[in-house]
């Protein structure tokens, strides 16, 4: 019977790298000893953390490939401009602002009658934690790293929700068919001004549904953590208080798939800048009878004097280097076949630049980055054209489809957060009479709208709007100023009405007096 051999031809170095960088950790809870947790920490530190730091670097505009230490130019005297473009920041910020730029509307419907119910305790927790800003940051982490983490704990009589950095936090799941989180791990670098990572120490924190543990400082970079760590403190818990948000099933960020395109665009723009700078310092070629200071020095040299020849060769090399550094070549004219001296001339030389081809290449990269990251190119002249509503929806189709998937995943994480809040409230015997599954989250697309044009269309159709509503759309004037201006505008009319009322009252009063005389 023939043996089956695995075909690994489809695997690449990048694929194997991503396999470890995106790995979901799984283990049995009883096996999670300090030694086993240390192995997971070491794997995360070596295999996953570098990718996450790299993604953060791209988000900050420090694109790693274009900013590598190695020179990109063969000619050491040529320009070596490094241009990094913050596409990653544009992609993350756009998708985050589109989905949660408008605050998430959080409502409660306990009896499922379609009407919102009041819940003061929930409102208090949301207010104390500033959830609009917090959820924006969590969504941004999810978009940047492909994952985000939140920690919920009780502080006094209210629950606090904090963000944990994905660069030093991870979750361990069970080995079930449908894995569930069983432990959260965070390793925090101790404040130390030292570039020697071998002696850098970290404090390890772990959370399960029953215990919180914090370790004594331990080294990670040299592998010490694999042998375990000493627990400094243990607290009892009522629930696992850490939630992991997934951007997608692969836990990949929104610009993960276009990093190679960003690198290519950086290189193309940098090469263009190098060409422009090198053109200013173009190499001057001089053809003529110009002798250098060492011309003929080798003819007078003793062939057996190696020391002199070596010194002469070194000086000639130094002269050549200085000539190259000054970007000037000195060439002698020769003798033609008729015995006449060739023409003396001087000219600049540089590479020919295919402007149209290079710009077309860069434009193609620019469009591909936006297309494959499903980020609209707002600089496109046709994007803001007078297209119909349906046509604009097709332009935004990729964004809308991606946003729906990301929002479903984010809503799941938010529901888990409020599930932890409920558990903590019940453990503290707090006034919590709410099922977290009845908390609803509504997202509103953050897109520019032409409200004035919409109102004009409605008015043309016969709709009526009060002045107080229309006042909000007046440019450059706030509502209070408009109210004051409207009051002044109505002062003459109000004064006339007051005078008429006064006359009517006086007439009525005279009539009453005549009746009394009779």
């Amino acid at each position: 019977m023939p043996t089956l051999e695995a075909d690994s031809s489809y695997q690449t170095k990048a694929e194997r790298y991503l396999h470890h960088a995106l790995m979901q950790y799984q283990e049995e809870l009883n096996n999670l000893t300090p030694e086993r947790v240390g192995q997971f920490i070491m794997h995360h530190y070596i295999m996953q953390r570098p990718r996450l730091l790299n993604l953060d670097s791209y988000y900050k505009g420090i694109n790693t490939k274009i900013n590598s230490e190695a020179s990109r130019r063969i000619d050491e005297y040529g320009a070596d401009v490094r241009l990094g473009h913050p596409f990653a920041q544009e992609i993350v910020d756009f998708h985050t602002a589109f989905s949660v730029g408008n605050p998430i509307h959080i409502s409660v419907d306990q009896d499922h009658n379609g009407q919102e119910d009041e819940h003061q305790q929930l409102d208090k927790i949301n207010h104390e934690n500033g959830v609009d800003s917090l959820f924006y940051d969590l969504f941004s982490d999810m978009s940047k790293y492909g994952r985000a983490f939140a920690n919920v704990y009780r502080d006094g009589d209210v629950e606090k929700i904090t963000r944990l950095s994905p660069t030093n936090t991870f979750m361990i799941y069970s080995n079930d068919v449908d894995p569930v989180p069983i432990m959260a791990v965070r390793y925090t670098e101790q404040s130390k001004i030292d570039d020697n990572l071998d002696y850098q120490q970290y404090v390890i924190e772990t959370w399960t549904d029953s215990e919180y543990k914090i370790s004594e400082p331990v080294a990670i970079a040299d592998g010490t953590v694999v042998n375990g760590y000493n627990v400094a403190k243990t607290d009892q818990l009522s629930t696992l208080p850490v939630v992991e948000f997934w951007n997608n099933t692969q836990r990949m960020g929104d610009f993960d798939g276009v990093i190679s395109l960003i690198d290519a665009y950086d290189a193309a723009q940098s090469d263009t800048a190098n060409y422009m700078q090198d053109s200013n310092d173009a190499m001057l070629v001089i053809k003529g009878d110009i002798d250098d200071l060492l011309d003929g020095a080798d003819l007078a040299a003793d062939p057996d004097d190696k020391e002199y020849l070596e010194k002469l060769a070194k000086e000639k090399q130094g002269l050549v280097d200085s000539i190259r550094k000054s970007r000037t070549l000195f060439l002698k004219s020769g003798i033609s076949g008729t015995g006449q001296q060739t023409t003396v001339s001087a000219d600049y030389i540089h590479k020919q630049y295919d402007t149209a081809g290079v710009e077309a290449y860069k434009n193609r990269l620019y469009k591909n980055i936006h297309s494959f990251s499903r980020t609209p190119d707002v600089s496109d002249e046709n994007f803001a054209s007078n297209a119909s509503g349906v046509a604009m929806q097709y332009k935004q189709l990729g964004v809308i489809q991606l946003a729906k998937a990301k929002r479903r995943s984010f809503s799941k994480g938010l529901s888990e957060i409020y599930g932890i809040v409920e558990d903590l409230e019940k453990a503290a015997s707090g006034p919590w009479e709410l099922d977290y599954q009845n908390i609803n989250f509504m997202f509103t697309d953050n897109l520019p709208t032409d409200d004035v044009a919409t109102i004009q269309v409605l008015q043309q159709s016969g709709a009526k709007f009060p002045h107080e509503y229309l006042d909000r759309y007046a440019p450059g004037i706030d509502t209070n100023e408009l109210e004051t201006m409207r009051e002044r505008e109505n002062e003459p009319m109000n004064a006339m009405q007051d005078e008429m009322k006064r006359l009517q009252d006086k007439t009525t009063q005279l009539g009453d007096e005549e009746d009394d005389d009779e």
Side-chain angles (χ1 to χ4, degrees), residues 2 7 60 81 98 202 242 255 323 369 439-440 446 454 502:
D7 181 13
K60 295 174 179 176
V81 178
F98 178 85
Y202 293 78
V242 179
F255 63 91
I323 291 174
I369 291 172
I439 301 177
N440 302 314
N446 184 18
T454 303
R502 187 183 68 79

Side-chain angles (χ1 to χ4, degrees), residues 34-45:
E35 291 78 13
R36 183 58 175 153
V37 173
Q39 293 175 357
F40 283 115
I41 293 174
M42 199 66 201
H43 184 277
H44 187 273
Y45 185 83

Side-chain angles (χ1 to χ4, degrees), residues 123-141:
D123 295 339
K124 178 182 178 181
I125 292 173
N126 291 340
H127 176 73
E128 288 288 335
N129 288 281
V131 293
D132 293 341
S133 177
L134 173 65
F135 292 165
Y136 189 97
D137 292 338
L138 288 173
F139 200 97
S140 179
D141 276 352

Side-chain angles (χ1 to χ4, degrees), residues 314-329:
K314 186 176 181 180
E315 291 180 353
K316 281 194 171 185
Q317 184 61 47
L319 180 61
V320 171
D321 289 343
S322 64
I323 291 174
R324 292 182 60 193
K325 189 173 182 180
S326 64
R327 309 198 65 78
T328 305
L329 293 180

Side-chain angles (χ1 to χ4, degrees), residues 114-128:
Q115 296 182 354
E116 295 185 16
D117 301 328
E118 292 185 1
H119 198 281
Q120 296 181 354
Q121 188 67 8
L122 177 63
D123 295 339
K124 178 182 178 181
I125 292 173
N126 291 340
H127 176 73
E128 288 288 335

Side-chain angles (χ1 to χ4, degrees), residues 237-250:
L237 299 176
S238 60
T239 185
L240 177 60
V242 179
V243 175
E244 180 178 9
F245 295 80
W246 288 31
N247 194 47
N248 45 56
T249 56
Q250 299 296 321

